[in-house]
Amino acid sequence: MINTKRVMTLAATLLLAAYGWAQMRITFEGIEAKEKVLADGSTYVQLPSGTNLNDFAQMGMDVTVDGRSVPLADITPNPATTFITANEIETFIYDGKAYSFRFSNNEYSHYLFAYFNGNNQWQEQICFALSDDGFNYTPLNGGAPVISSADIALKQAVRDPHILRGEDGYFYMVVTDMCSSQGWASNDGLVLLRSGDLINWTHTAIDFPTLWPWRFDRNSLTQVWAPQTIYDPEEGKYMVYYTIGESGKNHIIYYSYANEDFTELDEPQVLYDHNGQNTIDADIVWHNGEYHMFFKTEGQGNGIQKATATTLKGPWTPEHKDLQQTKDDVEGSCVFQLIGSDTWVLMYDCYNSGRYEYCTSTDLRAFTYHSQSVNTSIFTPRHGTTITITIEEKQRLLKDFGH
């Protein structure tokens, strides 16, 4: 797990020259590091440009090779320098064996927006767009889908993509498995996706009545909407949370934990019930020692409100205040922090007005209108989410999809 708020443990698979692959686990404080998984399945350690390995020794970095704890002093760098520059390959010698350690500049520089385009089945597909500033986006792949819904979804259509950069170097995406032309009470599940490179994705469709027939009846289950994923450090697992609608009941936010391969979910449990009122489209971020859950109050003004908690499973304290800066109907909030800034962006889908709006805040409590999306014939974004990416990741996306 990589978590800059705690002591960090870094696991990496390293090439052991002439001996195959070896596992190395590092525990340290104060230096941002990430484990990266390449498209070919190999793994390397990604550290900030200019990191000095000698600093690790002073901080008590522990390296385990072949199951044995090895002091950093016993690992001889080759060449002699321990100063790391971006995109440089360093080789380390331990016990007469050479280890290759790849370092790369991990500074975030751009934004990736995952979204769908509309209510026609051909528009209910996962699309990507890039931005330099977090507000103005250019679609990839000429606005066409980057993943075909027919290949991943039981309903042959998906909505509400949520994308997450994981703590383990993978990217996680979850989507609503739904074709709106079949009715707004017609979907029974969601789709789990995982990727090491943002290009190639594994996928698993989760059908709730099939997996939990003792809990969900296909006739009474009306919605499984807008799933999202977040890492729970207390459980050491990824939590997938989503809205469930059932006949005669209000919409409630539920959660499940995923297995390690992100192909299965455990039985749904209640995460948040907004005083018996309909609640959909939850989006959770961590800031200043607490979790902030943004959600839509469906049927009570259709506003974006918020609740807070110190642990993911609550208890959650609602603030009972609309945060959107418009009188139009809104849904599908996404909150992310601007690169190198203390400013947060709240973006939401003005679904009856054909636009996205962006608001900003430094405390996640008071928001100011910033701008709205510029839609085109190939870019009509609906309910999606944004993450920050590196220049390397941007270039990879452009290589595979182009504008």
Side-chain angles (χ1 to χ4, degrees), residues 101-308:
F101 218 161
R102 177 177 175 178
F103 299 91
S104 178
N105 192 336
N106 67 349
E107 295 180 357
Y108 300 130
S109 55
H110 298 80
Y111 302 85
L112 174 64
F113 180 25
Y115 62 97
F116 74 105
N117 268 309
N119 293 336
N120 295 306
Q121 186 169 357
W122 62 270
Q123 294 176 306
E124 293 175 322
Q125 314 268 347
I126 299 170
C127 296
F128 284 170
L130 294 175
S131 173
D132 294 334
D133 61 9
F135 302 102
N136 299 283
Y137 290 86
T138 301
L140 289 172
N141 207 30
V146 296
I147 301 172
S148 171
S149 296
D151 293 338
I152 64 173
L154 298 178
K155 295 288 187 176
Q156 308 288 287
V158 303
R159 302 169 65 91
D160 319 321
H162 175 263
I163 189 168
L164 172 76
R165 181 188 295 275
E167 301 288 323
D168 54 3
Y170 283 100
F171 296 92
Y172 293 85
M173 194 152 49
V174 286
V175 292
T176 304
D177 191 338
M178 177 179 176
C179 181
S180 62
S181 63
Q182 297 177 14
W184 296 106
S186 64
N187 87 297
D188 300 318
L190 51 86
V191 182
L192 308 174
L193 301 99
R194 188 174 76 161
S195 173
D197 59 6
L198 291 170
I199 309 297
N200 303 286
W201 296 83
T202 61
H203 56 87
T204 305
I206 304 294
D207 184 71
F208 282 46
T210 299
L211 290 176
W212 303 290
W214 58 88
R215 172 63 182 84
F216 298 104
D217 175 82
R218 200 171 298 277
N219 292 322
S220 60
L221 178 63
T222 55
Q223 288 93 16
V224 181
W225 279 354
Q228 297 208 8
T229 307
I230 190 170
Y231 184 76
D232 186 344
E234 294 188 355
E235 296 289 339
K237 299 178 182 179
Y238 287 93
M239 173 192 285
V240 179
Y241 55 96
Y242 41 84
T243 294
I244 286 182
E246 298 178 89
S247 297
K249 300 180 181 179
N250 62 295
H251 291 82
I252 297 173
I253 307 298
Y254 280 75
Y255 75 92
S256 300
Y257 285 108
N259 66 342
E260 186 174 354
D261 294 332
F262 208 63
T263 57
E264 299 176 0
L265 296 178
D266 59 21
E267 186 171 349
Q269 306 291 328
V270 173
L271 180 63
Y272 181 65
D273 185 344
H274 190 58
N275 301 320
Q277 299 176 342
N278 288 331
T279 309
I280 67 172
D281 297 351
D283 180 57
I284 302 174
V285 296
W286 171 269
H287 178 59
N288 277 352
E290 61 183 356
Y291 292 98
H292 300 250
M293 177 195 290
F294 295 79
F295 55 87
K296 177 187 177 183
T297 55
E298 179 80 349
Q300 296 87 39
N302 295 351
I304 304 296
Q305 295 193 8
K306 192 185 73 168
T308 57

Side-chain angles (χ1 to χ4, degrees), residues 381-400:
R382 296 288 315 280
H383 193 161
T385 48
T386 294
I387 61 170
T388 54
I389 59 173
T390 66
I391 183 63
E392 180 183 52
E393 291 160 349
K394 176 187 176 182
Q395 291 170 346
R396 186 189 311 143
L397 288 164
L398 288 172
K399 178 181 179 181
D400 278 76

Side-chain angles (χ1 to χ4, degrees), residues 17-84:
Y19 292 89
W21 293 93
Q23 294 292 325
M24 183 174 285
R25 183 169 292 274
I26 306 166
T27 302
F28 55 91
E29 288 184 272
I31 296 180
E32 182 181 358
K34 292 184 181 296
E35 177 182 321
K36 299 294 291 183
V37 180
L38 303 181
D40 62 6
S42 62
T43 308
Y44 68 90
V45 179
Q46 184 175 342
L47 298 174
S49 176
T51 301
N52 192 321
L53 287 181
N54 288 329
D55 294 338
F56 288 171
Q58 297 168 7
M59 303 171 78
M61 183 182 79
D62 176 70
V63 177
T64 301
V65 178
D66 298 333
R68 294 177 297 165
S69 180
V70 180
L72 183 68
D74 292 346
I75 299 180
T76 303
N78 180 17
T81 178
T82 58
F83 189 79
I84 303 165

Side-chain angles (χ1 to χ4, degrees), residues 304-324:
I304 304 296
Q305 295 193 8
K306 192 185 73 168
T308 57
T310 56
T311 64
L312 266 177
K313 287 180 284 191
W316 293 89
T317 302
E319 296 185 357
H320 298 293
K321 174 186 175 183
D322 285 351
L323 300 174
Q324 76 275 11

